[in-house]
Amino acid sequence: MNVELPLIAVIGLIGYFGIRLFRPPTWLVVVLLLGGFLLADTFIAPAIDGGTRTGVDVVNGTTD
């Protein structure tokens, strides 16, 4: 059984509950968001993309 959820919904839920439960300072949230945005345009981006795809395959059970 595969569940289809948009990635932005999953990230939004994790972010919402993470902020509600752990109450990090606002500056830390801004730094992490900005850092992730900036990393998306570096040489590390293909590794992040590959790791994300592998993680999705593992969760969906579609690996060999």
Side-chain angles (χ1 to χ4, degrees), residues 19 24-37:
I19 289 173
T26 304
W27 66 266
L28 181 61
V29 173
V30 171
V31 166
L32 290 175
L33 288 173
L34 184 61
F37 179 75

Side-chain angles (χ1 to χ4, degrees), residues 15-47:
Y16 174 76
F17 285 114
I19 289 173
R20 294 284 283 171
L21 294 174
F22 298 115
R23 300 199 191 278
T26 304
W27 66 266
L28 181 61
V29 173
V30 171
V31 166
L32 290 175
L33 288 173
L34 184 61
F37 179 75
L38 292 174
L39 274 177
D41 196 33
T42 64
F43 66 94
I44 295 176

Side-chain angles (χ1 to χ4, degrees):
M1 177 174 109
N2 287 340
V3 177
E4 298 285 332
L5 277 175
L7 181 61
I8 193 69
V10 174
I11 292 173
L13 283 172
I14 291 171
Y16 174 76
F17 285 114
I19 289 173
R20 294 284 283 171
L21 294 174
F22 298 115
R23 300 199 191 278
T26 304
W27 66 266
L28 181 61
V29 173
V30 171
V31 166
L32 290 175
L33 288 173
L34 184 61
F37 179 75
L38 292 174
L39 274 177
D41 196 33
T42 64
F43 66 94
I44 295 176
I48 294 170
D49 184 51
T52 303
R53 290 182 191 278
T54 302
V56 169
D57 288 341
V58 167
V59 169
N60 286 338
T62 56
T63 57
D64 294 332

